[in-house]
Amino acid sequence: MFFAQKYGYLHKNFSFAIRRVSCVTLHSMAAPAVITLPVPKYTKLFINGEFVDSVSGRTFETLDPRTGDAITSVAEATKEDVDEAVKAARKAFDHGPWPRMPGSERARILNKYADLVEQHLEELARLETLDNGKPLAACRAGDIPSCVKALRYYAGYADKIHGLTLKMSGEYQGYTLQEPIGVVGQIIPWNYPLSMFFYKISPALACGCTVVIKPAEQTPLTALYAAQLGKEAGIPAGVLNVLSGFGETAGAAISSHMGIDKIAFTGSTEVGRRIMEAAAKSNLKPVMLELGGKSPLIVMDDADVEEAVNLAHRAAYSNMGQICCAGTRIFVQEGIHDEFVKKAVERARQQVLGDPFMPGVQQGPQVDKAQFDKILKYIELGKREQANLLIGGKCWGDKGFYVEPTIFSDVQDNMKIAQDEIFGPVMSILKFKTVEEVIERGNKTIYGLAAGIVTKNINVANRLSRSLRAGVIWINCYLVTDMDAPFGGYKMSGIGRERSLCGLESYMQVKSVICPVYESPWL
Ligand code: NAI
Ligand code: MG
């Protein structure tokens, strides 16, 4: 891979076979495809409008999940670099033009940023596939366009931020100002690296905050590239700072920093708790947490079995199962249970695994060895707990971090595989009899991020959607997200809501301004 860096584009005669899970036969492409790998251009920290080395001079390798080999080295931020970034962001907020300029001007710059992301879509998509392992087609059609949407959505809000006029009791009147909260620390995960980056920065920038953001150590490349595009769009120095680095060092320094006014995090529930503790122990900065999930998808007897199986398949296996709101507990009503199980196995068998750069590949590798090991460990646990392993259960191929799409049936609520977030292509199928029963069992985890319902009965759909404790309910669909729909968790799936006006408001604070209508009785 270093060859690629040194000599420009690497053209590799690719002979990796595409193969269907648990088939003995290998399905090779008719002709070997030529894969052009992107070359990372930006590998340093982005502080105060410039790419710089880390204070310590340290770097770390980011790996290609297809092989486990290094792609390149990037600068590693530690506490000293966080201090520098916060100093720049603080100055940009306290004295710089960004929070003071008309909202229409911020909107113009954010729209230009969106245009630049759109113009670089192909390069960003390739870089994302290389660093993360997700299918290139998904990056082109989903991940990168969603970044453009986030920027344009919040650019649209930038000049429409209003307060209220207050008709107070007594001889006073007042109004409220919606003010940007200040310097914002943002820590993001690796499952949607660039989408998460833009979901986080767009509302914060739109309302006039300045940002210090840390991408996940597994996937720093697209965020650093995006920093350059932000600069080209005209975002002033210090407004957007991007620090590649690790959680326990750079991430912890951000969450405990006295110069940061708010923290927004997406990732594991365990780290969310640590971030909240750090915020509490430092300056009591408010936290927004978007955490894990173990979402139920409930399939009623009246569903079309084929359609429900397709939905469940996508709910469980999209993005290699690395989605916080993945549907992983598939509750199927007893009347169609056996047929559903049979068809779900047939459907999983059709899943095309392979190199994520290859056309037609639906499932690439997991992001890294740690996730790969964690998933295989849970599969072993499922077997030990006497769940019925119907398909998959093993790694796939002879290199990289691929895991076969896996289905367990006869899963019981108290099993680990029904309680913990596995974050991999593992579907658990659970049988149920009545609506009352599935409400209780659907809610029986510490999480509450999402839930899905498949039924033709509107009364059942309404009843379930009001009784399930989750931040998003999908009826006869799944994983449908939009900038206009608030997203966030009940229970231990998180605090606060992102996207929509809720997302913007979470980066603002309200100030009341009060004065006498006539003469002041105070003077
Ligand atoms: P993680 O929660 O450790 O990582 C997410 C981000 O938090 C990364 O940028 C990381 O550097 C940072 N971080 C880690 N420790 C930190 C600390 N002490 N202070 C501040 N920031 C810190 O997640 P990880 O280890 O990558 O994955 C473990 C599990 O977490 C996954 O298997 C999955 O179950 C869950 N997860 C959930 C995600 C979601 O979208 N809700 C995304 C990623 C992981
Ligand atoms: Mg990587």
Side-chain angles (χ1 to χ4, degrees):
M1 291 306 147
F2 287 111
F3 174 91
Q5 245 191 302
K6 228 167 157 186
Y7 300 101
Y9 282 87
L10 173 67
H11 293 273
K12 194 168 160 196
N13 223 2
F14 195 74
S15 58
F16 207 73
I18 289 195
R19 152 159 82 115
R20 294 189 197 281
V21 185
S22 79
C23 286
V24 186
T25 42
L26 295 181
H27 299 261
S28 309
M29 301 296 285
V34 174
I35 293 180
T36 310
L37 296 181
V39 182
K41 288 187 197 150
Y42 306 102
T43 57
K44 294 187 178 187
L45 310 179
F46 187 75
I47 299 177
N48 205 22
E50 302 297 334
F51 284 99
V52 295
D53 290 318
S54 60
V55 172
S56 69
R58 288 223 299 259
T59 61
F60 66 99
E61 287 177 335
T62 183
L63 307 182
D64 178 346
R66 300 173 311 150
T67 58
D69 295 339
I71 301 165
T72 186
S73 293
V74 298
E76 180 188 335
T78 54
K79 186 178 176 307
E80 290 70 33
D81 305 291
V82 172
D83 286 342
E84 286 302 308
V86 173
K87 209 190 295 171
R90 197 70 267 164
K91 188 165 164 231
F93 186 78
D94 294 339
H95 307 290
W98 189 252
R100 291 164 189 84
M101 66 176 60
S104 57
E105 182 59 9
R106 283 198 301 277
R108 188 188 64 74
I109 293 170
L110 292 178
N111 276 318
K112 187 157 176 216
Y113 200 174
D115 293 344
L116 287 170
V117 173
E118 207 164 38
Q119 283 160 27
H120 292 80
L121 187 147
E122 183 62 18
E123 209 169 341
L124 288 165
R126 288 182 168 278
L127 204 54
E128 197 79 311
T129 294
L130 182 64
D131 213 9
N132 169 280
K134 65 174 76 194
L136 180 57
C139 291
R140 282 181 180 143
D143 288 56
I144 313 302
S146 78
C147 303
V148 177
K149 279 186 193 159
L151 278 166
R152 291 196 177 133
Y153 183 85
Y154 283 112
Y157 265 129
D159 58 355
K160 298 168 196 70
I161 294 171
H162 304 132
L164 301 169
T165 49
L166 311 174
K167 188 175 182 305
M168 301 175 60
S169 57
E171 300 289 282
Y172 293 92
Q173 63 183 5
Y175 61 91
T176 62
L177 289 173
Q178 294 272 3
E179 296 192 329
I181 202 160
V183 175
V184 173
Q186 299 178 324
I187 299 173
I188 54 174
W190 41 262
N191 55 341
Y192 285 89
L194 200 61
S195 312
M196 289 283 172
F197 178 87
F198 282 105
Y199 290 164
K200 287 275 185 288
I201 70 164
S202 302
L205 294 180
C207 67
C209 291
T210 62
V211 170
V212 176
I213 184 166
K214 190 194 85 60
E217 52 270 38
Q218 294 87 345
T219 53
L221 296 177
T222 47
L224 292 171
Y225 195 118
Q228 170 64 21
L229 298 182
K231 182 175 177 170
E232 288 172 26
I235 294 181
V239 171
L240 175 62
N241 303 275
V242 186
L243 302 179
S244 40
F246 291 91
E248 311 80 66
T249 48
I254 291 172
S255 39
S256 61
H257 209 288
M258 295 297 288
I260 290 183
D261 300 305
K262 181 209 162 88
I263 188 118
F265 168 75
T266 298
S268 62
T269 295
E270 183 196 335
V271 171
R273 189 194 294 277
R274 255 182 265 161
I275 285 175
M276 203 167 169
E277 278 168 7
K281 284 183 185 149
S282 52
N283 57 349
L284 285 176
K285 57 178 81 59
V287 295
M288 185 164 65
L289 303 176
E290 204 266 89
L291 308 174
K294 192 73 191 175
S295 301
L297 171 62
I298 296 167
V299 183
M300 304 299 297
D301 273 349
D302 65 356
D304 178 303
V305 177
E306 201 108 0
E307 286 171 10
V309 162
N310 279 329
L311 197 70
H313 182 90
R314 288 175 57 193
Y317 300 138
S318 293
N319 208 40
M320 287 66 74
Q322 303 167 143
I323 307 186
C324 49
C325 51
T328 48
R329 289 185 297 146
I330 314 295
F331 285 94
V332 185
Q333 204 168 12
E334 59 182 354
I336 57 165
H337 175 270
D338 294 353
E339 187 190 354
F340 182 100
V341 168
K342 191 165 144 270
K343 290 207 158 101
V345 172
E346 282 163 20
R347 181 68 188 84
R349 193 167 281 129
Q350 298 305 310
Q351 180 84 333
V352 180
L353 276 78
D355 187 294
F357 281 101
M358 298 275 270
V361 164
Q362 295 160 338
Q363 186 178 324
Q366 309 305 130
V367 77
D368 67 5
K369 175 99 172 41
Q371 294 301 313
F372 172 83
D373 288 343
K374 174 183 168 186
I375 296 160
L376 294 178
K377 190 195 87 190
Y378 271 107
I379 291 171
E380 284 313 307
L381 214 56
K383 288 197 246 174
R384 244 187 289 147
E385 288 176 312
Q386 310 281 306
N388 192 7
L389 177 66
L390 296 173
I391 187 170
K394 297 190 296 297
C395 62
W396 182 89
D398 53 8
K399 59 181 173 185
F401 309 126
Y402 295 84
V403 179
E404 293 178 345
T406 297
I407 298 180
F408 283 105
S409 67
D410 301 320
V411 176
Q412 307 303 315
D413 299 338
N414 58 356
M415 290 180 180
K416 279 276 191 200
I417 55 167
Q419 288 295 320
D420 294 0
E421 184 176 55
I422 301 175
F423 231 57
V426 181
M427 182 193 289
S428 290
I429 302 180
L430 305 93
K431 196 197 279 193
F432 75 95
K433 285 196 171 80
T434 66
V435 172
E436 290 69 29
E437 174 197 341
V438 83
I439 289 170
E440 200 203 317
R441 294 175 61 196
N443 284 331
K444 224 163 142 188
T445 74
I446 59 167
Y447 297 114
L449 193 53
I453 302 158
V454 187
T455 181
K456 296 190 180 84
N457 185 331
I458 184 77
N459 299 327
V460 170
N462 284 338
R463 169 108 193 269
L464 285 172
S465 54
R466 278 154 200 256
S467 307
L468 292 166
R469 300 193 62 212
V472 190
I473 307 284
W474 286 297
I475 300 170
N476 294 331
C477 61
Y478 206 87
L479 295 178
V480 179
T481 59
D482 193 86
M483 289 315 299
D484 217 20
F487 188 84
Y490 278 38
K491 301 196 276 180
M492 286 176 74
S493 286
I495 297 175
R497 294 291 176 272
E498 297 197 290
R499 311 188 199 194
S500 75
L501 183 57
C502 302
L504 186 77
E505 284 174 344
S506 74
Y507 289 101
M508 295 189 287
Q509 53 194 344
V510 179
K511 179 183 278 177
S512 294
V513 181
I514 296 163
C515 69
V517 181
Y518 308 110
E519 227 165 88
S520 171
W522 295 79
L523 302 176

